[in-house]
Amino acid sequence: MRRRRYLLVSVASVAAVLGAWQVCADTGVVQQRLTSSPWDVVQSARYLIDTGQLASAIGASAVLFAVALGIAVAIGGIAGVAIGWWRLLGAIFEPFIAMLYAMPLIALLPVILVWFGITFQAQVVMVVLISVFPVLVNVITGTRNVDAELIRLARSFRASDTEIMRTVVLPSLIPYFVTGVRLAIGGALVGVVVSEYFMGENGIGGLIVKAGDILDTGQVFVGITILAVVSVLLTTLLRVAERRLTRWRA
Amino acid sequence: MSIVVEHLTKRFGTPGKEPASQLAPVLEDVSLQVGANEVVTVIGPSGSGKSTLLNCIAGLEPYEGSIEVDGTPVRSPHPAVAVVFQSPHLLPWRTTLGNVEYGLEVGRRMAKGERRQAAEAAIEVVGLTGSSSLYPRQLSGGMQQRVNIARALAVQPEVLLMDEPFGALDAITKERLQEQLQGIVADRKLSVLFITHDISEAIYLGDRVVTLSARPGRISLTKVIDEPRPRSLSLKQSAGFQALYGELWKSLA
């Protein structure tokens, strides 16, 4: 009951902000040309839908996001287990991982542009770079934190190395992996927008940049709203998946 | 099935690499035997290498000397041996049933239906029927330890190596499990090596009690407990029991 009341307050809060925005724009408190207004955003959205621009922008961004995140999760997961498991691999790769994980990778954008030009590949590389490290670093940590006693137990039952990997290492990695993927999703969204801003002006990022160039703030806010909604949706989806996968935890 | 340990010495580290002081043996010249359907309990102060002894027999640690299970030298875990470690070490993402099935799934690779049946039988032996679908976090310490024992029993071992399995339990749960273990050992004709730091547990469960001295662990005393089985818990109150307790206590001090 109480939860429902708080939900109502949240809905009212959002409605109030949108209402205030609309009123300010209508009464000229703010310049509508610069701030747009909720109604204006709805009109812009309708225009973008009718002309098919929105669908193609979302499609382009979704493909980039999915391809790059998929690559990042696969690389991060597999390399993470290997680097976490074999100390030698850790010693070889960790200096680079530490450096790249800590630095703002967007700084590499000009280099990627030079190497790959304004291409889909360049965009993928940018997004993968930003989103691979959270997965990689978390999976490495998880692999190192596998309970040595559980491994000894498995050995006492004559488990082979592959059986130990399957029945002990991988299951205990799941929480770390999911955390890594959650951070990677955030990173990938940033990567998608940035690479669309600077490498191709396509997708939702491109739509925002082009609308900004012609001062069409309504369309800018359509793009921003879509990004906000998608982010919330993905985070929620992942939280549900996390709860499903780690039901055994308290 | 029997265990024969002869002149077992165990040191950690490699000669030439570590300073000599760290190469001092943890166990030195330990010889002992566990006969068929015999329970040998091992007591000793902490640091006497009790767990190390068990790990060597389990084939989980390299060693110097000779260890044979059923006449075969031990180099890796023997298929007829099951280990019950001190803490339950349950896989937290598996239910009771899944945990008890574990030993049948790896190593033995038993088919799924068969596995389930064997696991359910083992769960019944330790009195956990009804908790099959619970996760470890939903079980009390005593129940977790029962799952641990059921997991070992499920693989139908002939030798059971137990490393202070009841060490962390409250007195009442402990006594109940001691009594149950006795029944299981008799039913299945198991040979058991049971490590403990609890003198009365060692006497109550053991056909023989072996004491290890402090580092390096050497066998300082072997005592035959000449009491017929099954023993009742009231044995612990008897005068003979108390006398043995005193003697063993002195040998450890």
Side-chain angles (χ1 to χ4, degrees):
Chain A
M1 218 54 250
R2 175 170 286 180
R3 255 177 99 177
R4 202 155 157 200
R5 205 183 314 151
Y6 285 134
L7 183 69
L8 275 175
V9 173
S10 298
V11 170
S13 161
V14 173
V17 168
L18 290 177
W21 182 9
Q22 185 68 53
V23 169
C24 287
D26 282 346
T27 55
V29 177
V30 292
Q31 278 193 53
Q32 184 159 359
R33 203 161 60 88
L34 300 181
T35 61
S36 185
S37 73
W39 181 242
D40 189 27
V41 174
V42 170
Q43 294 301 322
S44 300
R46 239 192 231 163
Y47 169 76
L48 289 172
I49 291 168
D50 289 345
T51 55
Q53 292 178 64
L54 193 64
S56 74
I58 290 177
S61 291
V63 168
L64 173 57
F65 177 84
V67 168
L69 187 69
I71 294 174
V73 166
I75 294 178
I78 294 167
V81 171
I83 293 172
W85 197 248
W86 288 292
R87 288 274 158 186
L88 179 65
L89 286 184
I92 294 171
F93 290 109
E94 279 198 307
F96 305 104
I97 294 170
M99 195 172 69
L100 288 169
Y101 188 41
M103 74 173 282
L105 286 158
I106 291 170
L108 294 179
L109 196 132
V111 183
I112 295 168
L113 258 177
V114 170
W115 288 350
F116 296 93
I118 295 182
T119 57
F120 179 67
Q121 287 93 307
Q123 293 184 326
V124 170
V125 169
M126 187 74 245
V127 179
V128 168
L129 265 179
I130 295 185
S131 50
V132 75
F133 290 101
V135 183
L136 189 64
V137 169
N138 274 286
V139 171
I140 290 174
T141 310
T143 308
R144 298 220 169 118
N145 285 348
V146 172
D147 190 346
E149 298 286 300
L150 289 182
I151 293 177
R152 197 164 59 120
L153 166 94
R155 287 206 198 289
S156 84
F157 283 115
R158 299 158 55 79
S160 65
D161 284 353
T162 32
E163 282 172 333
I164 289 175
M165 187 56 77
R166 182 174 60 78
T167 59
V168 179
V169 179
L170 294 184
S172 49
L173 270 181
I174 288 173
Y176 294 88
F177 179 71
V178 175
T179 304
V181 171
R182 193 175 52 217
L183 295 171
I185 286 176
L189 284 170
V190 172
V192 165
V193 173
V194 168
S195 61
E196 286 171 348
Y197 275 6
F198 296 103
M199 304 189 280
E201 297 201 350
N202 62 342
I204 295 293
L207 187 145
I208 292 172
V209 170
K210 281 188 277 188
D213 284 348
I214 55 166
L215 293 182
D216 190 335
T217 44
Q219 288 191 17
V220 171
F221 277 108
V222 171
I224 290 171
T225 308
I226 287 170
L227 288 175
V229 170
V230 167
S231 308
V232 171
L233 223 64
L234 288 174
T235 317
T236 312
L237 213 74
L238 204 79
R239 210 177 306 141
V240 173
E242 188 169 17
R243 220 173 297 151
R244 277 270 175 92
L245 285 170
T246 58
R247 236 179 328 165
W248 46 273
R249 283 181 138 192
Chain B
M1 198 169 276
S2 62
I3 306 171
V4 179
V5 178
E6 267 168 355
H7 309 297
L8 168 68
T9 296
K10 170 68 190 174
R11 48 188 116 227
F12 289 101
T14 21
K17 250 176 149 185
E18 270 87 8
S21 62
Q22 281 175 30
L23 278 173
V26 181
L27 291 168
E28 195 167 68
D29 197 22
V30 172
S31 297
L32 67 86
Q33 299 190 2
V34 182
N37 196 21
E38 188 186 24
V39 179
V40 172
T41 52
V42 178
I43 47 174
S46 46
S48 58
K50 306 186 292 282
S51 297
T52 306
L53 170 65
L54 182 134
N55 284 331
C56 288
I57 299 173
L60 296 169
E61 290 272 2
Y63 55 85
E64 300 161 45
S66 135
I67 300 175
E68 291 185 352
V69 170
D70 196 25
T72 347
V74 171
R75 287 294 161 212
S76 61
H78 190 285
V81 175
V83 186
V84 177
F85 292 104
Q86 180 172 9
S87 62
H89 295 326
L90 302 179
L91 300 173
W93 48 84
R94 287 187 177 221
T95 60
T96 296
L97 183 67
N99 267 292
V100 175
E101 280 183 358
Y102 187 72
L104 302 167
E105 181 185 327
V106 300
R108 277 154 193 84
R109 300 182 189 112
M110 193 185 261
K112 208 166 180 178
E114 232 183 310
R115 202 158 81 199
R116 197 192 169 101
Q117 251 179 351
E120 273 166 356
I123 289 169
E124 202 185 326
V125 170
V126 298
L128 276 183
T129 315
S131 305
S132 287
S133 57
L134 297 182
Y135 287 93
R137 68 173 165 84
Q138 298 169 301
L139 305 173
S140 68
M143 289 162 92
Q144 290 187 14
Q145 201 52 272
R146 281 167 200 264
V147 178
N148 188 12
I149 293 169
R151 177 173 57 190
L153 292 176
V155 301
Q156 302 282 351
E158 293 178 64
V159 174
L160 210 49
L161 303 175
M162 307 183 88
D163 187 3
E164 299 191 34
F166 309 144
L169 304 178
D170 64 88
I172 295 170
T173 309
K174 187 175 187 169
E175 293 208 322
R176 199 176 301 147
L177 286 178
Q178 286 171 356
E179 208 174 12
Q180 277 181 354
L181 177 66
Q182 227 190 157
I184 294 166
V185 169
D187 280 351
R188 303 213 173 185
K189 304 253 180 294
L190 292 171
S191 305
V192 181
L193 185 83
F194 190 104
I195 308 276
T196 178
H197 57 241
D198 177 339
I199 300 175
S200 78
E201 181 170 72
I203 302 170
Y204 175 71
L205 289 174
D207 293 311
R208 264 186 308 136
V209 181
V210 170
T211 66
L212 282 179
S213 62
R215 196 168 171 153
R218 284 193 196 116
I219 290 181
S220 53
L221 185 74
T222 302
K223 200 83 207 160
V224 176
I225 312 298
D226 203 6
E227 282 287 335
R229 302 187 163 280
R231 298 169 184 169
S232 87
L233 283 166
S234 60
L235 175 71
K236 292 188 181 182
Q237 265 75 52
S238 72
F241 192 94
Q242 295 300 332
L244 268 170
Y245 188 100
E247 192 179 342
L248 288 167
W249 188 84
K250 250 181 261 159
S251 85
L252 288 176

